[in-house]
Amino acid sequence: MRGTLFRITYWILSIFYVLASLPFLAWPGHGPVRAIIKSYTRAINLALRYLAGIRKEVRGRERLPEGAFVIGAKHQSWGDGFLIYPEVPNLAFVTGDHLERFPLVGGILKKLGAIVIDTCGGGEKKASSLANGMEQARADGRRVLIYPEGHLAPVGYHFRYKAGVWHMAEAMGAPVVPVATNIGVFWQQQEKPRRTGTAIIEFLEPIPPGLPKAEFITRLTEAVEARTAELVAEATGGPVKRAPLIPDPPNGFEASPTPEDLAAFKKA
């Protein structure tokens, strides 16, 4: 019942804030739309607490650097972006162009300074759209949120971390702040919230720019996955279990791994 009530409220708030943004899409500058969307994320946080019974706890704010940086976050749920966005001033984010299918969302994404990746045009177009977005974010002095796995990960599993986050950090000359979370215990992937408790996001020690790509990816994966496993265990009361690597799902699908999937992947 809580999850259903929250989901109804989620869509009501989403429609309301999109409509509230419309008069400002043609407005010079981006301040009004960014303020409206920040208010929207805070409203979702309140709805999570009072309707879904999911409290929010933020750890590691003191680790956030001054100036520009990249956030490389674990992505377990639609909800993790709502937890992170209001905590980091001047935040842009990387998203696929699938969001532009929703009416009016494309204009809002532009006002927010989102880096929209061409997910249908192949590797070169993806790289081009990412490079253009980074250039604008760097010019604006933004912080940038990216999900290195590229997919919503089921709790207890992880996908291969992609090199886009390394290219972004190197191009910006900025550190990467890993982020661990356990929100998937309470709100998994695109489902409605199903469990009450405390969802944690934790900003970890920044990784400096200038590392070789392979070393950077290993270090980021280890930091995020090790701490996420601990936060999941904290939420469930179970033992700490390191998440196994699973293959990426096809575009447009969620991952729902089985033992056969894992066995096949190990043989590959």
Side-chain angles (χ1 to χ4, degrees):
M1 180 62 183
R2 278 180 175 269
T4 299
L5 184 58
F6 169 80
R7 193 162 194 169
I8 292 169
T9 304
Y10 168 85
W11 285 110
I12 291 173
L13 288 172
S14 299
I15 293 169
F16 171 79
Y17 277 98
V18 166
L19 294 177
S21 300
L22 293 186
F24 300 101
L25 294 184
W27 196 276
H30 48 67
V33 172
R34 291 181 184 175
I36 288 169
I37 297 305
K38 180 159 282 192
S39 175
Y40 166 54
T41 60
R42 287 171 174 159
I44 294 294
N45 277 239
L46 290 173
L48 274 172
R49 179 170 183 175
Y50 293 109
L51 298 180
I54 301 174
R55 297 178 301 278
K56 170 183 173 178
E57 182 180 341
V58 181
R59 300 177 183 174
R61 284 192 187 94
E62 71 281 357
R63 299 187 180 112
L64 294 176
E66 296 294 328
F69 55 86
V70 178
I71 294 175
K74 184 67 179 177
H75 197 19
Q76 293 178 333
S77 165
W78 270 10
D80 43 40
F82 290 108
L83 299 186
I84 295 171
Y85 192 86
E87 301 301 325
V88 183
N90 200 23
L91 182 65
F93 54 90
V94 177
T95 184
D97 54 5
H98 63 283
L99 288 181
E100 294 184 324
R101 295 197 305 258
F102 295 96
L104 310 174
V105 171
I108 294 173
L109 291 175
K110 289 179 182 178
K111 284 291 186 179
L112 291 175
I115 300 172
V116 181
I117 303 300
D118 185 337
T119 57
C120 299
E124 290 187 6
K125 287 192 175 181
K126 285 182 181 180
S128 176
S129 55
L130 183 61
N132 292 338
M134 284 191 300
E135 183 177 347
Q136 187 60 53
R138 185 170 57 247
D140 293 344
R142 310 294 302 279
R143 286 81 180 266
V144 181
L145 168 64
I146 185 171
Y147 295 109
E149 292 171 280
H151 303 278
L152 285 163
V155 174
Y157 299 95
H158 81 93
F159 300 112
R160 192 179 305 281
Y161 281 53
K162 314 302 187 293
V165 61
W166 178 82
H167 289 290
M168 179 175 288
E170 290 302 301
M172 295 178 69
V176 173
V177 178
V179 176
T181 187
N182 62 6
I183 190 174
V185 173
F186 312 100
W187 182 0
Q188 175 62 52
Q189 299 194 69
Q190 298 181 53
E191 298 177 353
K192 62 187 178 183
R194 294 182 179 274
R195 178 175 175 175
T196 62
T198 300
I200 300 167
I201 58 168
E202 184 169 348
F203 299 107
L204 307 176
E205 287 295 332
I207 301 174
L211 295 177
K213 180 168 61 176
E215 180 182 345
F216 170 87
I217 294 297
T218 299
R219 185 166 166 179
L220 177 64
T221 303
E222 177 63 30
V224 174
E225 292 304 321
R227 187 57 183 148
T228 291
E230 292 171 353
L231 295 180
V232 168
E234 183 177 334
T236 61
V240 177
K241 295 182 179 179
R242 182 60 183 269
L245 177 69
I246 58 174
D248 288 2
N251 284 337
F253 288 83
E254 289 185 353
S256 182
T258 67
E260 290 76 17
D261 293 332
L262 297 181
F265 189 57
K266 288 176 181 176
K267 292 178 183 178

